[in-house]
């Protein structure tokens, strides 16, 4: 049995609050991709376009698809990272990326960030990707429910994106597909506005994917349209119609389980990844910001990030430099002003601590 794309829909809508659209997509069967860019002064648009452009050229089919998709995603990461590093107009840009490739009997997925891939089979909707976001992380640790996550003020903060780091970890999976399966790739502008029950309902109730896609965008806008909304849909059919009728579709969860694996590359950097926060539209704010505090041993320390913790174990900062100066040894007035957690530039924070170490700080 060989599958092919029978029907497809792809559209990106600016939504009701954003001025520009920093999402990007490609829908060129058998390959589909959605990217949601972030970064000031339209840099997000550049990042998301670079991400999807990596999949415009043809892809080899068969074994090794996951590795091939992950390799393309990593190449895109390097291009985005280098442009962000070398060109001030693009500093701090990043993007999510979700890709799906139809490969005979499987749909192969590569994924970074909080855009999502779903499959609708026999009326049931299943999410195939994990969100690389703070709230996603907290849900997986059992510290937040899905419902709480949907309302969380930090729900748009993502923990993995193409661009911010020179090396990126790409999730991949091979999903054994069936004729009739409908796949949805979308940016968080859809899923933050329309719940999964409503997504499933629209997909079940509509006769064509164009109608479904347009209704999903309408519902996201009706709910506020706070972000760019990108919807890519495709439905699979068998290439050659067999003489025997197709077997009934099994309920969701039955049948072979998708192989899920992570492609390994470079150092695994969980802590650094969390610290390398990308707030939607605010990457620069969380990344290029430093503050001075004291560490567990009471030493004056320069931190990169924001002086907050989410839950008990997710820090929005990382230690960058530990001075040899015990905070307790400082006069109270100076200590208070020094350790005020005020957000500073890196140079400002470093200079402050250097002066302190030289004993030259004004009392
Ligand atoms: Mn978005």
């Amino acid at each position: 049995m060989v599958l092919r794309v029978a029907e497809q829909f792809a559209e990106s809508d600016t939504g009701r609050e954003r001025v520009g659209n920093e999402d990007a997509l490609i829908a060129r069967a058998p390959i589909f991709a959605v990217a949601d860019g972030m970064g000031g002064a339209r840099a997000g648009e550049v990042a998301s376009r670079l991400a999807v452009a990596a999949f415009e050229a043809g892809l080899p089919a068969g074994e090794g698809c996951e590795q091939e998709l992950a390799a393309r995603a990593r190449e895109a990461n390097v291009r985005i990272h280098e442009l962000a590093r070398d060109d001030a107009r693009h500093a701090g840009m990043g993007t999510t990326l979700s890709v799906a490739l139809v490969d005979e009997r499987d749909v192969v997925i590569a994924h970074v960030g909080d855009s999502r891939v779903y499959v609708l089979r026999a009326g049931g909707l299943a999410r195939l990707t994990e969100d690389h976001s703070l709230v996603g992380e907290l849900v997986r640790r059992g510290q937040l429910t899905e419902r709480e996550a949907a309302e969380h003020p930090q729900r748009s903060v993502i923990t993995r994106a193409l661009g911010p780091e020179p090396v990126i970890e790409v999730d991949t999976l091979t999903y054994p597909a069936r004729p009739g399966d409908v796949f949805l790739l979308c940016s968080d502008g859809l899923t933050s506005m329309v719940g999964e029950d409503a997504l499933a309902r629209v997909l079940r109730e509509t006769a064509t994917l164009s109608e479904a896609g347009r209704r999903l965008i309408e519902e996201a806008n009706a709910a506020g349209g706070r972000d760019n909304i990108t919807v890519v849909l495709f439905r699979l059919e068998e290439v050659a119609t067999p003489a025997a009728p197709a077997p009934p579709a099994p309920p969701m969860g039955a049948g072979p389980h998708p192989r899920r694996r992570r492609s390994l590359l470079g150092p695994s950097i969980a802590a650094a990844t969390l610290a390398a926060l990308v707030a939607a539209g605010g990457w620069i704010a969380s990344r290029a910001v430093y503050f001075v505090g004291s560490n567990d041993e009471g030493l004056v320390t320069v931190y990169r990030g924001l002086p907050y913790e989410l839950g008990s174990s997710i820090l929005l900062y990382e230690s960058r430099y530990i001075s040899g100066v015990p905070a307790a040894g400082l006069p109270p007035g100076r200590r208070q002003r020094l350790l005020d957690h005020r957000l500073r530039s890196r140079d400002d924070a470093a200079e402050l601590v250097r002066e302190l170490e030289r004993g030259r700080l004004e009392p």
Side-chain angles (χ1 to χ4, degrees):
M1 180 186 72
V2 172
L3 295 167
R4 72 174 172 204
V5 174
E7 187 189 358
Q8 69 183 63
F9 169 89
E11 205 167 297
S12 190
D13 188 272
T14 304
R16 294 193 158 172
E17 292 195 3
R18 298 289 169 91
V19 178
N21 191 339
E22 298 196 313
D23 286 1
L25 66 86
I26 58 162
R28 292 184 188 176
I31 189 115
F32 301 86
V34 165
D36 177 349
M38 57 215 77
R42 315 196 80 176
E45 209 175 300
V46 174
S48 63
R49 291 231 179 106
L50 281 172
V52 300
F55 299 89
E56 280 175 345
L59 283 153
E63 283 299 305
C65 269
E66 285 185 37
Q67 291 87 335
E68 180 64 25
L69 291 184
R72 299 267 178 121
R74 291 197 297 268
E75 286 162 23
N77 177 62
V78 169
R79 278 197 287 281
I80 296 164
H81 181 73
E82 289 179 350
L83 189 60
R85 188 193 58 198
D86 299 340
D87 182 344
R89 288 169 305 166
H90 297 122
M93 69 178 171
T95 185
T96 72
L97 175 67
S98 295
V99 189
L101 171 69
V102 181
D103 177 37
E104 298 205 344
R105 268 162 291 186
D106 298 316
V107 170
V108 186
I109 291 163
H111 164 72
V112 172
D114 70 347
S115 300
R116 291 179 180 172
V117 181
Y118 289 94
V119 61
L120 184 86
R121 177 180 291 180
L125 188 71
R127 196 197 299 174
L128 300 181
T129 49
E130 276 183 356
D131 288 350
H132 302 137
S133 65
L134 282 170
V135 293
E137 204 71 50
L138 292 169
V139 168
R140 284 191 288 281
R141 290 173 189 214
Q143 292 174 330
L144 276 186
T145 64
E146 288 280 356
R147 183 179 289 265
E148 286 165 343
E151 307 282 307
H152 199 281
Q154 263 88 34
R155 63 186 176 276
S156 63
V157 174
I158 63 175
T159 50
R160 232 195 274 176
L162 301 190
E165 299 287 338
V167 174
I168 183 80
E169 187 185 354
V170 182
D171 283 8
T172 58
L173 86 107
T174 297
Y175 185 80
R178 291 170 186 274
D181 283 351
V182 171
F183 288 81
L184 164 66
L185 281 69
C186 57
S187 61
D188 70 329
L190 176 68
T191 49
S192 62
M193 294 283 112
V194 182
E196 292 184 340
D197 290 350
L199 296 181
R201 179 176 41 75
V202 169
L203 292 174
R204 277 194 304 265
E205 285 176 358
T206 43
T208 66
L209 293 187
S210 304
E211 192 189 335
R214 279 195 297 268
R215 261 194 52 199
L216 291 175
I217 291 172
E218 268 168 34
E219 294 209 2
N221 277 319
R226 284 201 288 273
D227 194 4
N228 306 142
I229 307 148
T230 299
V231 174
V232 170
L233 290 163
F234 61 92
R235 184 170 56 79
L236 298 179
E237 67 178 10
E238 273 188 79
V239 169
T241 313
M252 288 307 298
H257 288 288
R259 284 181 288 123
R260 185 186 292 276
R261 66 169 177 252
R262 307 209 178 244
S263 57
L264 295 173
L265 52 133
S268 178
I269 43 169
T273 313
L274 279 176
L277 284 173
V278 183
W283 163 252
I284 295 166
S286 65
R287 172 82 175 166
V289 151
Y290 292 74
F291 64 95
V292 178
S294 64
N295 71 2
D296 290 347
E297 276 108 52
L299 296 172
V300 174
T301 301
V302 176
Y303 294 95
R304 182 171 74 179
L306 300 170
Y308 304 115
E309 296 177 14
L310 297 180
S312 57
S313 53
I314 295 196
L315 313 181
L316 297 190
Y317 54 84
E318 61 177 346
S319 162
R320 298 301 289 176
Y321 177 76
I322 300 168
S323 77
V325 180
L330 300 170
R334 185 194 291 180
R335 184 166 69 221
Q336 207 181 345
R337 261 180 296 117
L338 185 71
L339 308 180
D340 60 0
H341 291 183
R342 208 181 81 197
L343 300 181
R344 303 170 185 276
S345 69
R346 181 177 59 182
D347 290 348
D348 184 29
E351 185 59 25
L352 195 63
V353 172
R354 220 173 290 132
E355 293 292 293
L356 176 70
E357 286 179 320
R358 291 174 190 149
R360 272 191 257 152
L361 206 63
E362 292 299 313

